[in-house]
């Protein structure tokens, strides 16, 4: 099912900035997406969901804009933006290197152009037994790495 495939690039703290995608949507290197599983309770290890990832491993530099007032951020010329990042390829991102590459040298990073973001990565964990796709019924939270 492609019903629950989304990417995010929009105004800071705007839950309505999720963008629907499907199996034919191209993602840029480093552009993340959200994918929910099927409904119903299934014990881990007894039934498997088939998720197919197609693409070549990518281990190069990722360049994704975080530009105020552009892209998917209409009527937000000066406000901050958020972007869901990840690696839609079968390879990993180095969280420590990502943080250092996007922090200024004055703040202990390697970026000579200044801070790109605040240095915090947020990871959502949905750990509840609630069988729902309704936001207010979610049981989970964010872990932060900085």
């Amino acid at each position: 099912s492609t019903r629950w495939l989304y990417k995010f690039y929009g105004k800071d703290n705007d839950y309505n900035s999720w963008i629907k995608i499907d199996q034919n949507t191209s993602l840029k290197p480093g552009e993340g997406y959200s994918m929910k599983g099927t409904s119903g309770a299934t014990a881990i290890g007894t039934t498997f969901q088939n998720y197919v990832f197609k693409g070549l491993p990518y281990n190069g530099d990722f360049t994704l804009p975080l530009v105020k007032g552009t892209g998917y951020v209409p009527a937000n010329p000066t406000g901050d933006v958020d972007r869901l990042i990840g690696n839609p390829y079968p390879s990993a991102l180095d969280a420590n290197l990502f943080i250092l590459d996007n922090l200024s040298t004055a703040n202990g990073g390697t970026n000579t152009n200044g801070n790109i973001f605040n240095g915090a990565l947020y990871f959502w964990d949905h750990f509840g037994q609630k069988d729902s796709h309704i936001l207010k019924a979610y049981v989970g939270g964010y872990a932060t790495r900085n």
Side-chain angles (χ1 to χ4, degrees), residues 7-11 14 16-21 25-28 31 65 67 69-76 81-83:
K7 64 183 185 176
F8 186 95
Y9 181 32
K11 292 187 288 186
D14 182 2
N16 294 316
S17 291
W18 288 98
I19 302 150
K20 180 90 173 103
I21 63 173
T25 302
S26 294
L27 297 173
K28 297 174 183 175
E31 188 173 24
V67 181
T70 63
Y72 299 107
V73 194
N76 187 32
V81 296
D82 287 336
R83 183 167 209 157

Side-chain angles (χ1 to χ4, degrees), residues 29-30 56-62 87 89-94 97:
L56 297 174
Y58 186 85
N59 293 318
D61 292 337
F62 300 157
N87 192 355
Y89 303 96
S91 57
L93 290 172
D94 183 320
L97 186 58

Side-chain angles (χ1 to χ4, degrees), residues 37-109:
T38 57
S39 64
T42 303
I44 295 175
T46 60
T47 302
F48 297 97
Q49 175 68 44
N50 184 25
Y51 295 105
V52 178
F53 296 91
K54 292 182 180 179
L56 297 174
Y58 186 85
N59 293 318
D61 292 337
F62 300 157
T63 302
L64 292 170
L66 289 174
V67 181
K68 295 178 181 184
T70 63
Y72 299 107
V73 194
N76 187 32
T78 60
D80 290 335
V81 296
D82 287 336
R83 183 167 209 157
L84 181 64
I85 62 168
N87 192 355
Y89 303 96
S91 57
L93 290 172
D94 183 320
N96 291 332
L97 186 58
F98 179 84
I99 291 170
L100 292 175
D101 283 350
N102 289 287
L103 285 179
S104 71
T105 53
N107 288 323

